[in-house]
Amino acid sequence: MDALQGISASTGAALGPFQVMAAALPRPSSTKSTLVPAQELENLHHAAKTISDELAARASRTTGEAKEILEASSEIAQDSALLSTAESLINKGYGSAYAMWEASEVFSQLLIEAGGYLAERASDVGNIRDRIICVLSGVGYPEIPHLDQAFVLIARDLSPADTTDLKPGQVLAIVTEEGGPTSHTAIIARTLGIPAVVACKGVVEAAKKEEKAGSGIVGVDARGGVVTFNPSPELAAELAALTQSITARRSKKAIRGRSGYETTDGVTIPIYANIGRLADVDVAINAGADGVGLLRTELLYLDRQTPPTLEEQRDIYTQAFTPFAGKKVVIRTLDAGADKPMAFISFADEPNPALGVRGYRTIAINKELLTTQLEAIADATKTSGAEVWVMAPMITLPEEAENFVVLAKDFGIKSAGVMIEVPSAVLLADEITSVCDFVSIGTNDLGQYLHAADRESAALAHFNDPWQPALLNAVHRVASSGSANNCPVGVCGEAASDPTLAAVLMGLGVTSLSCNVSTLADVATALTSLSHLEMRKAAKAALRARNAEDAKNFAREHLHPLSALGL
Ligand code: PEP
Ligand code: MG
C-alpha cells in the first residue's frame, strides 16, 4: 500500500496494530419523528437504562474518584428531571435523540445553577447524553478505543480532552486527518511522548479499508510524517530499529552544568519544561528540566463547569511549585478561548475565534478571574520555595503589558512579564520589553498570526512550520529588543522543542528555552554538543532563507555534530 503523507507533530516512530476512533456526534436533526411518541418513549427509556447499567458495571470494576464519577454518571443517565424534559419534547412529536440532546442542555444548566458538587457533575452530562444517543441511533460511542495490546490511534481529529486521557504505554502513535503541528492536541501528544502525525489526508478512509480487509498493521515514521499501512518487511525492520534507537538515546542524559546546560564553548543555557498537568511535574524533573518555562493553567481546568475557587487554585499551584523549590517556574494566567474554550467562561459566537476574545482579552470581561488567579499564585509562591514568574498570554499592546505587570506586582508577585505571540507585540517589542521583567515568545500563535494561517488547519499547516523565515526574523527582533532593555527573552512555543531549531533560537539571541518534556533530552543533547558560535552562524544563515526548508538546510550546514547524533 502507498504511504500517506502528513505533518510531523511529535517525533518518533511506531509499528503495530491500529484502531480508528469514531467521529464526534453531530446535534440530531429537529425534524419531527415518524414514530409514534409511545415508541420513542420506550426507545428513550431503554437507551437510558442500557447506559446507566453499563456505567454502573464500569464503576464496580474501578476504585477511588473514577468509581465515584462513574456511579454518579450512572444515576444521571436515569435522572427523572433529565428524562422528563426529554419526554415532554417527545410528546410534542420530536425524535428521542433530539429530545435527549435538548434535555441535556437544560439539565446541565440546572446543575450549574445548583452549584457545588452538582455543578461539578454538569461536565459529565454531555458524555452521558452522547452515549444514550449512540444507543438510540444504533452506533458505537466515539471514545478512545481499548485493546489488550498497544496500538496506533487513528482519528479524524482529537480534542485536547481526548488526548489528555491517552496513556503512552497504550497508544504507540497518533495519526489524525485534521489538525496542525502546533494545535493543542499535538502539544499534548508531545508532552506525553507519543509520536504524532497530523493533517494526514485520507488516513481515516484508508484505515477503514484496511480494517475491512482484515490486515491491520501500520508503520508511522513521525519524523517525516509518513504513515504506511501494511509496511514491507524492509520498512517494518527499519521502523523497529528506529524506535529502538530513539528509546536508547532518550534514556541517556545530556551532561548538565551546575544550573542549565553548557555549550561546548561554555555558554550556559537554561532549558525549562512546558507543563499543563500535575502529572507532568515529576516527568519534567526526571527529564532534567531546569524548572518550568510555561505552566499552561487553562489545561488544569479544561473540564470545569465552574471557575476554580481561590482555595482550589492555591492548592493546585502549591502542588505544582513546591517540587521546584530553588528553581524557576513561569506560570501563565488563563489562556482561554479559540481552540481552548472553557465552560465557565461564556464566549460570544464569533466568526473568527482565534482573532476574537481569547487569552488576556477574556480578562477585560472577567477581571475577577485574573485577580483570583494572581492572588492564588502569590499565596502559593510564598510557601513553595520556588522562584515564580508570572506572565499573561496574547498581549497585543504595550499598555496591556504594563497594566498586567502593575497588577501582578500589586499582589506581591516579584517577576511579571508577558508572552509575545501577536505581531503587534513583535513590532513594539522595544516598548514591551522596557515595561516587563521578562518576555516569552509563543511561536505557535506568533506563527499563525504572522502568516494569517489557523494553527488548527491541516490545509495551511506549512505556514505554521516553525522554520518559516518570517518567524525566525520576528524572534531575532524581539531578542534584540530584550537585550537592549536588559529583559530576558525566552521561547516557550513548540519551536523550542525541535533540537535543531532550539540551537538556532539560541543563536538568534534568546536567553532560555522551554520545551516539551518528551523532547527535552534531545534538545539538551543538541545544545551541549554545539558551540554558541555555531548556533549564531546557523541563525545568521537561516535568517537569509526565503522558505522554511531552506532555513533548515542553511542552518544545518553549521550544525554538523547533530547529524552524527542522529538528530
Ligand atoms: C504559543 O502560542 O506558542 C504558546 C506557547 O502558547 P499556546 O500554545 O498555549 O497557545
Ligand atoms: Mg499561544
Side-chain angles (χ1 to χ4, degrees), residues 184 187 294 296 332 335 340 421 442-445 455 493:
H184 286 98
I187 294 171
L294 170 62
R296 290 182 165 96
R332 177 172 78 182
D335 183 18
K340 288 180 286 191
E421 49 185 350
T443 47
N444 309 332
D445 276 316
R455 64 195 262 189

Side-chain angles (χ1 to χ4, degrees), residues 160-161 164 188 297-304 340-344:
T164 319
I188 295 170
T297 55
E298 65 283 356
L299 297 188
L300 300 170
Y301 305 120
L302 273 184
D303 58 355
R304 289 280 304 221
K340 288 180 286 191
M342 314 211 68
F344 58 84

